[in-house]
Amino acid sequence: MERRIKTAIEFLRDGQSFTIGEIRLENEKSGVIKVTGWSQYKNFANLTKQKSLRELEEIKALFYKMVKVSPDLRSFIENKSIEFNLYFDDYGKGSIGICSEKDKILAWEADLR
C-alpha cells in the first residue's frame, strides 16, 4: 500500500486526483484534501442518514489507516484541511452527493430519512 500512496502523492502534487482502493483523493488549490468514497448501496431509496453516516465513518477510517502507515502522506496533508465526501453511484451515469464533512461540520446534499 505504501508504494500506491507514494504514487497518489505525486498525482496530488500535480493537481490530479488518484484512487486508492475504495477512495479517491484530490488536492485542491485552496489547501483542501478531498477524500471521496461511494455508497455500497445500489438503490438510492435504501439509503438513510444513519447508513450514510456509517459509510462516511468507514471512508474516514480508511483514510486515517493510510495516514498511519505512510509518513509521506502524513507530511503531505500537514497544514491542510480534510474534506470527506460520500457519493451515490447513479448506475454509471454520474455521482450524486450524499453528505460531506469538513472541520467536523457535517453537510447533507441529499434529502434522506
Side-chain angles (χ1 to χ4, degrees), residues 8 28 36 39 42 44 47-48 55-57 60 68 75-76 88 96 99-100 103 112:
E28 298 206 330
T36 302
S39 177
K42 302 298 179 202
F44 194 80
L47 279 171
T48 64
E55 288 187 310
L56 189 64
E57 288 302 317
K60 290 167 60 176
K68 185 177 180 179
S75 176
F76 184 76
F88 176 79
I96 299 169
C99 61
S100 63
D103 299 326
L112 301 175

Side-chain angles (χ1 to χ4, degrees), residues 81-109:
S81 293
I82 310 296
E83 179 182 317
F84 297 96
N85 301 283
L86 176 65
Y87 283 88
F88 176 79
D89 181 8
D90 191 18
Y91 309 105
K93 298 176 197 166
S95 292
I96 299 169
I98 299 172
C99 61
S100 63
E101 181 184 313
K102 181 179 173 193
D103 299 326
K104 300 189 185 219
I105 297 172
L106 182 66
W108 290 96
E109 298 172 48

Side-chain angles (χ1 to χ4, degrees), residues 47-54 99 108 110-113:
L47 279 171
T48 64
K49 285 186 175 183
Q50 183 178 10
K51 290 174 183 176
S52 299
L53 288 174
R54 188 171 42 248
C99 61
W108 290 96
D111 186 23
L112 301 175
R113 54 184 160 82

Side-chain angles (χ1 to χ4, degrees), residues 10 20 27 30 49 65 69 71 74 83 89-90 113:
E10 292 305 314
I20 302 175
N27 183 20
S30 61
K49 285 186 175 183
K65 183 178 178 181
V69 300
R74 264 194 313 276
E83 179 182 317
D89 181 8
D90 191 18
R113 54 184 160 82

